[in-house]
Amino acid sequence: MTKLKPLNPSAVVMPRSTEEVQAVMRLAYENGIPVVPRGAGTGETGGCIAMQGGIVMDLSTWDEIVEIDAKNMQVLVRPGVIHAKLNDELAKFNLFFPPDPGSSQMCTVGGMVANNASGLRAVKYGTTEQYILGLEVVLANGDVITTGGIKARCIKNVSGLNLTKLMVGSEGVLGVVTRIRLRCWPKPKARGIAMAVFDNLDDAPATVLETYQAGILPSGIEILDSSAINAVNQFKPEINLPQAEAILLFEVDGNPPSVEYEGSIIKEVAGRRARQVEWSTEPKRMAQLWEGRSVTATAAARVRPDGSRIFAGEDISVPLSKVADTLRTIRALGDKYGIKVVNYGHIGDGNVHTAPVINPENPEEVEKVLQLVDEIHRMAVELEGTTTGEHGVGAVRRQYAELEHGLAVKYMNEVKKAFDDKGIMNPGKLF
Ligand SMILES: Cc1cc2nc3c(=O)[nH]c(=O)nc-3n(C[C@H](O)[C@H](O)[C@H](O)COP(=O)(O)OP(=O)(O)OC[C@H]3O[C@@H](n4cnc5c(N)ncnc54)[C@H](O)[C@@H]3O)c2cc1C
């Protein structure tokens, strides 16, 4: 890990039309000025920081829902729409856009496209890319392209090279996303939550696997290990999570009979290894069961009165069979560097969130935490995982590009040049 030295931008623009974005890009292209697209700024990797100064293009006020096309199960939006607001509007048509980042109340759909965001429900519903039917993108030289077909509203489409997939997750380095056509799904009618408490860490991932093997695909499966349980209880003692090596939280959604059926199987499967299992479809109890998970990130940041949580090494993803070893290794690394680390995450898809807490005013601790997160990133790749499961590379993880992708980085650079020959789109990010 390296420390970043971003510059202040020379200008911030807030465009409200494709033509305005195009005009800014033409000006920037002619003068070789860097342009950094920005949504709500909730990204955790410095993705919308102006590493080389230039223009920050803030798209957060361009938040129109252009058309909810319910009869074709899709919606057309501008980039600044907030995720939760979009789902509120879609709910009026019994539709929803399933990816569910923890930042739902703040982040923009444009930012979700650029980061290929996911979150709690990725286990069953996948990531943002699965819902993008097409995009309008303004390129570095001001050209405007439409991916997915200029007129296409169809759900299936294999025509042409798949530029939509190329743009999703490209973190603003290939162009500015100005229009998004999203596929929507029917909104599930019912929901249930199960909490399972384990005295043995290895039993948690084993239970996840056994749940899948029993034919059940929950919408989400979250883990809190002992470090997260302690952090939550210290932050809000009234939540009073059971002391354990790990807690699993399962979320199930669908039609009421299927939810009840899936809940009964989860209870049976988890009950084979867990000390305690509780299942509920009652809204108040579900909220109580989930509360520990909802406050984990905040609780993690408070484990030390003089400390701050460092967002680095916070998003590795490993194969399910290696989650328990990963958590144990991270604990050992915390001990090695003398740094408190809180572990939780989306265990259903092996996405582990680690929260090292240090005093950022203490240069010695800063040095140590940079070494700690470097070891975490390298361990993830070693374990056949990745340095980032959902937050992206941004400015903070690009030094791992060669380690993760090898020769492919050369071709990533060629693709970048094809879209942005002067290198003005969000420089200093990704690779
Ligand atoms: C509390 C919290 C919880 C979170 N939980 C999750 C989670 O569960 N899952 C998850 O995946 N992420 C999560 N995140 C990370 C973050 O919220 C998501 O990545 C989100 O999608 C970023 O959206 P944004 O609008 O804030 O984008 P920004 O942070 O503004 O930008 C992110 C990147 O996208 C680029 N970009 C933004 N808009 C555009 C555009 N229109 N065109 C081209 N490029 C663009 C930027 O240049 C930058 O590289 C969380 C963050 C927080 C603070």
Side-chain angles (χ1 to χ4, degrees):
M1 296 290 298
T2 44
K3 281 175 251 176
L4 305 180
K5 294 192 182 75
L7 297 176
N8 282 333
S10 310
V12 177
V13 295
M14 300 167 95
R16 298 292 308 270
S17 71
T18 304
E19 291 71 27
E20 285 181 6
V21 174
Q22 197 173 25
V24 174
M25 289 316 309
R26 281 188 178 141
L27 178 89
Y29 186 76
E30 276 160 25
N31 296 284
I33 301 168
V35 176
V36 182
R38 181 183 171 103
T42 68
E44 292 176 346
T45 62
C48 60
I49 285 174
M51 295 301 293
Q52 298 176 15
I55 300 169
V56 166
M57 188 180 282
D58 177 351
L59 297 142
S60 64
T61 62
W62 193 14
D63 60 354
E64 281 168 81
I65 298 176
V66 182
E67 182 195 13
I68 297 180
D69 182 1
K71 62 180 187 299
N72 288 309
M73 306 283 287
Q74 54 191 258
V75 61
L76 186 65
V77 300
R78 292 298 184 175
V81 177
I82 301 293
H83 174 260
K85 189 178 159 218
L86 175 61
N87 268 337
D88 287 347
E89 293 304 311
L90 290 173
K92 296 173 187 166
F93 299 84
N94 288 326
L95 294 173
F96 84 133
F97 166 45
D100 184 28
S103 51
S104 166
Q105 299 287 342
M106 305 174 271
C107 73
T108 66
V109 175
M112 289 181 69
V113 170
N115 272 7
N116 192 13
S118 47
L120 298 174
R121 297 195 199 113
V123 176
K124 178 173 173 180
Y125 294 104
T127 61
T128 296
E129 71 176 336
Q130 273 132 281
Y131 299 87
I132 312 297
L133 297 173
L135 298 170
E136 177 185 87
V137 186
V138 182
L139 302 180
N141 63 5
D143 279 357
V144 181
I145 59 165
T146 309
T147 73
I150 291 171
K151 292 189 175 172
R153 278 182 196 248
C154 45
I155 301 288
K156 288 174 81 174
N157 185 342
V158 293
S159 163
L161 283 183
N162 196 335
L163 296 184
T164 307
K165 288 245 175 184
L166 183 61
M167 290 294 165
V168 178
S170 64
E171 301 193 26
V173 308
L174 298 181
V176 185
V177 174
T178 49
R179 200 171 57 167
I180 303 150
R181 187 175 290 284
L182 287 168
R183 177 183 192 178
C184 308
W185 278 25
K187 191 171 157 52
K189 288 190 167 55
R191 189 169 164 256
I193 302 290
M195 178 196 270
V197 181
F198 298 90
D199 289 326
N200 176 353
L201 183 62
D202 293 277
D203 282 337
T207 297
V208 174
L209 181 63
E210 284 164 14
T211 304
Y212 294 148
Q213 286 169 338
I216 303 298
L217 191 58
S219 45
I221 315 179
E222 297 291 303
I223 187 169
L224 279 74
D225 84 348
S226 52
S227 63
I229 295 168
N230 291 337
V232 169
N233 286 342
Q234 184 185 322
F235 173 60
K236 263 195 161 189
E238 62 275 24
I239 295 180
N240 196 19
L241 289 174
Q243 286 299 333
E245 271 300 297
I247 288 179
L248 287 185
L249 287 160
F250 296 80
E251 185 195 60
V252 173
D253 68 3
N255 290 312
S258 63
V259 166
E260 285 299 348
Y261 170 75
E262 291 184 19
S264 71
I265 302 289
I266 290 171
K267 252 176 91 173
E268 186 204 314
V269 170
R272 289 180 210 146
R273 292 173 182 271
R275 177 176 93 212
Q276 177 188 332
V277 187
E278 183 179 345
W279 160 255
S280 178
T281 51
E282 197 271 313
K284 194 167 161 216
R285 187 60 191 147
M286 284 196 293
Q288 285 168 344
L289 289 174
W290 202 264
E291 195 184 358
R293 174 63 185 91
S294 5
V295 303
T296 312
T298 316
R302 310 273 171 90
V303 291
R304 245 181 87 171
D306 64 337
S308 290
R309 175 179 177 182
I310 304 302
F311 279 89
E314 85 298 346
D315 184 41
I316 59 166
S317 194
V318 295
L320 189 53
S321 58
K322 294 178 179 165
V323 170
D325 283 344
T326 300
L327 293 175
R328 268 192 286 268
T329 307
I330 294 171
R331 285 180 194 173
L333 287 171
D335 291 344
K336 173 176 160 189
Y337 289 102
I339 290 173
K340 272 188 188 273
V341 185
V342 177
N343 294 311
Y344 59 100
H346 313 305
I347 188 176
D349 36 40
N351 193 185
V352 176
H353 290 334
T354 46
V357 181
I358 60 156
N359 175 359
E361 305 299 326
N362 181 335
E364 213 177 290
E365 286 192 39
V366 172
E367 275 316 312
K368 278 188 188 167
V369 84
L370 292 176
Q371 288 172 34
L372 166 71
V373 298
D374 186 53
E375 287 209 44
I376 291 175
H377 282 133
R378 291 179 190 281
M379 170 195 66
V381 178
E382 183 70 21
L383 292 175
E384 300 178 284
T386 173
T387 58
T388 174
E390 58 181 20
H391 296 165
V393 173
V396 297
R397 279 190 266 269
R398 65 194 195 115
Q399 64 273 37
Y400 303 109
E402 300 276 348
L403 180 70
E404 285 212 54
H405 305 291
L407 183 62
V409 175
K410 178 180 155 205
Y411 291 90
M412 289 185 194
N413 273 302
E414 294 301 321
V415 170
K416 162 84 173 162
K417 272 188 217 144
F419 284 92
D420 176 19
D421 60 335
K422 292 191 179 174
I424 62 168
M425 285 306 314
N426 208 0
K429 313 291 165 60
L430 214 51
F431 45 81

